[in-house]
Amino acid sequence: MVHPTLEALQQQVVEHLRLIYPEEDHETLAHRLIHAVGAEGHCVMARPRSEPWDQQDLIVITYGDSLRREGERPLHTLKRFVDHYLAHVATGIHILPFFPYSSDDGFAVIDYAQVNPSLGEWADIRDIAEETRLMADLVINHCSSRSRWFEQFKADEAPGRDYFITADPDEDYHQVVRPRTSELLKPVTTAAGERHVWCTFSHDQVDLNFANPQVLVEMVRIIQLYLSQGVSIFRLDAVAFLWKEAGTSCLNLPQTHEIVRLLRTLVSFYDPRILLITETNIPNRENLAYFGNGNEAHAIYNFSLPPLLLHTMLTGDCNALKLWQMSMPPAQMGTTYLNFIASHDGIGLRPVEGLLEEKQIADIATTMEAFGGRISWRSLGEGGLRPYEINIALYDAMKGTLQGPDQYQQARFLCAHAIMLSLEGLPAIYLHSLLATQNDLDKVANTGNNRSINRHCWDADALEAHLVDVKSHHHQVFVGLCQLARLRQDQAAFHPSATQFVLHLGDELFGVWRQSQRRDQSIFAVANVTDQVQTLRLSSLNLIGTQNWWDLLSGDDYPDLHGDIELAPYQSVWLTNRSRETAT
């Protein structure tokens, strides 16, 4: 007799499959998927939606070899750094693709089942996962042209011959939305003759054919492998492009959303603590759709935040950031935003389409080029090009305003992170932001890849020398960000799902009010986003007069609630009513 919880799971999966593959044997396919994820050994239906995160959580994003030491496996070097420097700062580590690859710094996966030997082995991954929540990429849309599956495709051998999308080069693909300028179709000589394969990102990254359900089964098997190695958070890379259908944009199609729902159902049954995060660098409204009805992604990347916060810091005007935050719906129970300012990729510009004017975007791009950055472009469906992302180290992006460089680089950089850490959602900080790494122009010259500018590889010993040098900006920024992160951990009002309201304080001051879920703490987080001294009138905050208010960041008390605070350029305050004994 089938266990009743497995029976319920089987029915749920069948319902998903009916929408994705109307013509398939849904019962058989559902059984294969349940077996592939290893659900029979768990037999635990997903519990009522809860929130497996709180204000203590912070994810650090890094490549497996961002830190190197001669004679040591990079993953071992990374673990030593995490244990020594980040043990009380980060609760999660996102190690970017750590598999054998052929291009795109890991996102053209040759073998999903192996750890790149130049980084280490599965034992190193498990060691990291034992100490912290491990986030890994499921590079789901495409694989390397050097993968075993694609070699089978070229030889016209099973199973790979049916794993890729082929198309007629004479058809009209003008509606297809892509983030690159290369040709969509790549001609390939195979044992069955010349065929043209679909390549959304590059000709070395060949799109997988999810219209073939066996590809979905293979991907679920990969998920199970990663689960067995300690991965507990999955980043679904480029998932918005997953399903292709003639005559459409091939972006955010219904089948794509249903596959995300199916994966959520499977992993939630396996272990309700497993999280799915969708990486969808697309306009804001489309990005929000990946929450579904609380049944798709547990978290979505808040892609509009980096360019809007950059715009704010460059202009000294927070109006666009404020309007966007006011328009954002609170995440449903069991879901949250993943807030970040920098990542291994650039600062995407598509997420601010409709939020910033074209001239404002152009001004950002021009200023970033003046600060040493690069601009990457994308092809438009109707022809032509448009800026797709800015490639620059975030520390260098903050070296000035639209008027040029100034003396406030470090203050501006810390201010941006203070704002990010105060917002509703789960924060993630790129390792190179923690280290205040600057533009790596030599790496760009060596690779020819604009994104290399923000993918520096540190000599671990040289880095540690900087981190103990109190005069080094690396030390100063690292200490400043760690202090902000640790302080945030103790504030119930900064729980990812705590109440948030945007404050109306003019264009020079950005502020939010956060209230803890138990309503026992309020924080008014306010930042001066300009290079001039600004006055914050406490009376504008409507602080409760019977409570004692003080600033978590400076420690200053504010007994006169009708007084003013003079905020220095890029200074932030986190005003709270919580007693000092419980807030620190």
Side-chain angles (χ1 to χ4, degrees), residues 554-568:
S554 68
D556 293 339
D557 287 293
Y558 292 98
D560 180 6
L561 301 188
H562 295 284
D564 297 334
I565 302 178
E566 296 297 310
L567 293 179

Side-chain angles (χ1 to χ4, degrees), residues 144-388:
S144 169
S145 64
R146 289 173 46 195
S147 66
R148 175 174 55 87
W149 292 340
F150 199 67
E151 291 299 325
Q152 292 170 345
F153 173 83
K154 291 190 291 185
D156 197 33
E157 296 175 352
R161 67 183 171 202
D162 299 316
Y163 279 13
F164 300 92
I165 300 169
T166 59
D168 183 349
D170 294 326
E171 292 294 325
D172 182 5
Y173 301 101
H174 79 277
Q175 294 187 61
V176 176
V177 174
R178 299 179 60 226
R180 298 293 187 272
T181 57
S182 57
E183 291 294 327
L184 174 63
L185 301 182
K186 170 188 176 180
V188 179
T189 301
T190 77
E194 184 177 75
R195 304 175 74 182
H196 289 77
V197 294
W198 194 288
C199 300
T200 296
F201 290 89
S202 80
H203 284 187
D204 187 42
Q205 295 164 291
V206 190
D207 286 38
L208 292 162
N209 180 20
F210 278 86
N212 176 2
Q214 180 57 31
V215 172
L216 179 59
V217 174
E218 291 276 16
M219 203 54 65
V220 173
R221 287 175 181 155
I222 292 165
I223 290 174
Q224 202 287 323
L225 170 65
Y226 297 173
L227 289 169
S228 72
Q229 301 300 322
V231 174
S232 59
I233 307 175
F234 290 85
R235 174 185 182 271
L236 304 185
D237 176 64
V239 69
F241 300 91
L242 199 64
W243 195 273
K244 282 77 177 178
E245 192 169 290
T248 74
S249 66
C250 300
L251 185 68
N252 307 317
L253 295 188
Q255 295 90 337
T256 294
H257 282 281
E258 198 63 41
I259 288 174
V260 175
R261 294 184 196 111
L262 169 58
L263 296 180
R264 167 86 175 245
T265 296
L266 290 170
V267 300
S268 294
F269 184 95
Y270 181 90
D271 186 338
R273 297 166 296 180
I274 304 302
L275 304 182
L276 298 183
I277 302 181
T278 49
E279 187 268 332
T280 50
N281 194 354
I282 52 181
N284 191 55
R285 183 183 295 272
E286 298 171 35
N287 189 33
L288 288 170
Y290 282 87
F291 277 140
N293 188 26
N295 59 354
E296 291 190 36
H298 294 90
I300 62 173
Y301 275 79
N302 221 346
F303 274 110
S304 296
L305 179 59
L308 284 174
L309 195 46
L310 178 60
H311 164 76
T312 298
M313 293 297 165
L314 292 176
T315 62
D317 182 346
C318 69
N319 186 57
L321 177 65
K322 180 170 58 179
L323 291 176
W324 168 69
Q325 273 291 287
M326 289 170 59
S327 71
M328 292 291 279
Q332 299 179 52
M333 179 67 71
T335 66
T336 193
Y337 295 103
L338 186 76
N339 293 327
F340 72 109
I341 312 176
S343 72
H344 63 290
D345 288 339
I347 299 173
L349 295 175
R350 284 212 74 203
V352 288
E353 291 177 8
L355 302 175
L356 292 179
E357 298 174 0
E358 287 192 17
K359 184 182 184 306
Q360 292 174 314
I361 294 174
D363 287 343
I364 295 173
T366 300
T367 305
M368 291 300 96
E369 286 183 309
F371 292 172
R374 302 288 189 270
I375 306 298
S376 295
W377 303 81
R378 69 180 179 93
S379 298
L380 299 177
E382 65 274 11
L385 301 176
R386 179 172 293 173
Y388 173 69

Side-chain angles (χ1 to χ4, degrees), residues 444-469:
V444 174
N446 290 334
T447 64
N449 180 1
N450 286 346
R451 287 178 167 176
S452 296
I453 199 169
N454 197 25
R455 298 177 179 180
H456 182 70
C457 292
W458 276 99
D459 175 85
D461 295 325
L463 171 63
E464 291 187 2
H466 284 300
L467 293 180
V468 298
D469 179 3

